[in-house]
Amino acid sequence: MENNVIKLMQVMGTILAESETNATKFAEGNKSAGTRLRKNMQDVKQFAQAIRTEVQKQKNSVMA
């Protein structure tokens, strides 16, 4: 059985890979790519928080 933290990390990795493309396009002057990049970064932030929460939940359930 795959751990939920691993699944969340994989999704976040996919978003980061997409972000790299948008960052390159933004650096070349594409302002729409900057908007997409900001959204990607917000998604990464949300996934990072979900990972932190899941790790804490799993850690607490082991200790209980």
Side-chain angles (χ1 to χ4, degrees):
M1 183 170 128
E2 195 169 352
N3 191 309
N4 207 21
V5 173
I6 301 300
K7 290 178 188 176
L8 290 169
M9 291 289 297
Q10 289 171 340
V11 173
M12 192 166 76
T14 302
I15 294 169
L16 283 172
E18 183 180 318
S19 298
E20 188 175 349
T21 302
N22 285 323
T24 301
K25 289 180 181 179
F26 177 70
E28 293 170 351
N30 184 332
K31 291 185 181 187
S32 296
T35 301
R36 290 190 301 272
L37 179 59
R38 291 183 67 229
K39 183 188 181 317
N40 289 146
M41 292 298 97
Q42 184 64 32
D43 291 343
V44 167
K45 179 182 172 184
Q46 290 171 348
F47 273 97
Q49 185 60 46
I51 291 167
R52 288 174 47 94
T53 303
E54 182 65 23
V55 167
Q56 189 66 41
K57 184 177 91 176
Q58 288 182 22
K59 188 175 92 173
N60 288 341
S61 69
V62 169
M63 298 181 92

